[in-house]
């Protein structure tokens, strides 16, 4: 799964990187957690790429209880038949795919149980190039009884590549720039072919502070590699 990530890039950088026609102002965030508003790139009906903030945790348009969103922060990308058939994701996968820009993401590695030691060690993963990456995602619009419209999203995940398998068996779907447009607008079969682990050589990972486990922590030190003996 992908449950925490970071995005530290000004609007000007995101606009250039993703060829955006519209982009809201964003603040640097180093511990983005579910149920918060996150940066999402969608294609407008006019064919423009726009970046707005949507709530992380998919709320299907047919949902009766908005609490379902807490269970839908990720959409497992395989087997494809399950993604395409699951009611929570089916319509969004066909019609409402999106990109979520990220500087990197966190995953927790299970460690041997020892007295006084943490059960899981967080790692931060980013692109070797240092560029902002793009997760493949899905989005929805839900109308509350009051008439309020809530736009929400989730991150598609896939099996971890060989580099990350030692940390966790799952990873976000990371799309190469040449595939961004296909994910946003191509037919379902073309988009489905993109659901695979990214190449091992694209990524770098290092252990980081246990503080990332607290959603209230949000500072650049969270993505700094630990030195010996640090937690």
């Amino acid at each position: 799964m992908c449950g925490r990530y970071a995005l530290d890039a000004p609007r000007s950088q995101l606009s250039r990187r993703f060829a955006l026609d519209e982009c809201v102002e964003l603040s640097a965030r180093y511990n983005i957690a579910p149920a918060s508003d996150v940066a999402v790139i969608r294609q407008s009906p006019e064919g423009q790429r726009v970046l707005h903030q949507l709530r992380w945790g998919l709320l299907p348009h047919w949902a009766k209880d908005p609490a379902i969103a807490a269970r839908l922060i990720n959409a497992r990308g395989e087997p494809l038949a399950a993604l395409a058939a699951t009611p929570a994701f089916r319509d969004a996968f066909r019609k409402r795919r999106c990109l979520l820009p990220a500087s990197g993401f966190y995953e927790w590695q299970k460690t041997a149980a020892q007295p006084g030691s943490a059960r899981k060690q967080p790692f931060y993963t980013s692109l070797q190039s240092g560029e902002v990456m793009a997760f493949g995602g899905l989005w929805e619009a839900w109308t509350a009884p009051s008439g309020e419209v809530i736009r929400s999203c989730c991150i598609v995940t896939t099996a971890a590549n060989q580099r990350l398998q030692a940390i966790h068996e799952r990873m976000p779907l990371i799309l190469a720039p040449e595939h961004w447009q296909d994910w946003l607008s191509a037919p379902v079969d073309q988009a489905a072919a993109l659901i695979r682990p990214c190449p091992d050589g694209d990524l770098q990972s290092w252990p980081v502070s246990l503080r990332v486990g607290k959603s209230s922590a949000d500072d650049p030190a969270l993505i700094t590699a630990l030195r010996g003996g640090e937690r």
Side-chain angles (χ1 to χ4, degrees):
M1 65 175 294
C2 178
R4 298 287 175 84
Y5 68 100
L7 178 60
D8 178 10
R11 182 170 68 171
S12 58
Q13 180 183 344
L14 292 171
S15 294
R16 288 193 303 269
R17 173 77 167 149
F18 293 98
L20 300 176
D21 297 289
E22 181 181 330
C23 183
V24 300
E25 288 285 359
L26 298 169
S27 299
R29 296 172 66 188
Y30 299 94
N31 196 7
I32 299 171
S36 63
D37 289 341
V38 299
V40 174
I41 297 168
R42 298 174 292 162
Q43 181 164 286
S44 73
E46 295 75 31
Q48 295 183 319
R49 282 189 191 177
V50 299
L51 186 153
H52 297 136
Q53 294 201 81
L54 278 63
R55 188 171 302 172
W56 184 12
L58 197 72
L59 184 51
H61 62 85
W62 45 260
K64 303 298 184 184
D65 183 358
I68 191 176
R71 304 195 301 273
L72 300 176
I73 65 169
N74 293 157
R76 192 180 183 98
E78 75 280 16
L80 176 62
L83 178 63
T86 302
F89 306 126
R90 180 178 55 217
D91 290 347
F93 183 56
R94 289 203 319 265
K95 305 173 185 176
R96 291 179 290 279
R97 297 187 296 269
C98 60
L99 303 172
L100 287 84
S103 300
F105 62 94
Y106 301 96
E107 197 50 82
W108 278 257
Q109 180 188 55
K110 293 180 180 179
T111 60
Q114 296 178 357
S117 69
R119 294 177 59 188
K120 292 186 178 182
Q121 171 61 53
F123 281 74
Y124 182 73
T125 298
S126 66
L127 290 179
Q128 288 271 9
S129 65
E131 294 275 14
V132 175
M133 65 179 72
F135 301 151
L138 311 174
W139 73 275
E140 277 278 14
W142 179 82
T143 304
S146 65
E148 177 190 10
V149 177
I150 297 176
R151 292 177 175 82
S152 61
C153 64
C154 68
I155 296 170
V156 176
T157 67
T158 185
N161 61 21
Q162 188 171 358
R163 174 181 288 273
L164 295 187
Q165 282 175 0
I167 300 173
H168 198 272
E169 70 273 11
R170 305 292 298 172
M171 67 182 294
L173 171 61
I174 301 172
L175 297 164
E178 61 267 26
H179 297 144
W180 292 345
Q181 190 56 44
D182 283 343
W183 183 259
L184 288 174
S185 63
V188 167
D189 56 345
Q190 288 181 241
L194 302 176
I195 301 177
R196 57 181 183 267
C198 73
D200 292 337
D202 288 359
L203 302 176
Q204 57 186 352
S205 302
W206 54 84
V208 294
S209 171
L210 298 179
R211 290 194 305 116
V212 73
K214 297 181 180 180
S215 58
S216 58
D218 189 355
D219 57 77
L222 293 178
I223 67 173
T224 301
L226 289 183
R227 294 173 294 183
E230 286 185 336
R231 289 289 180 86

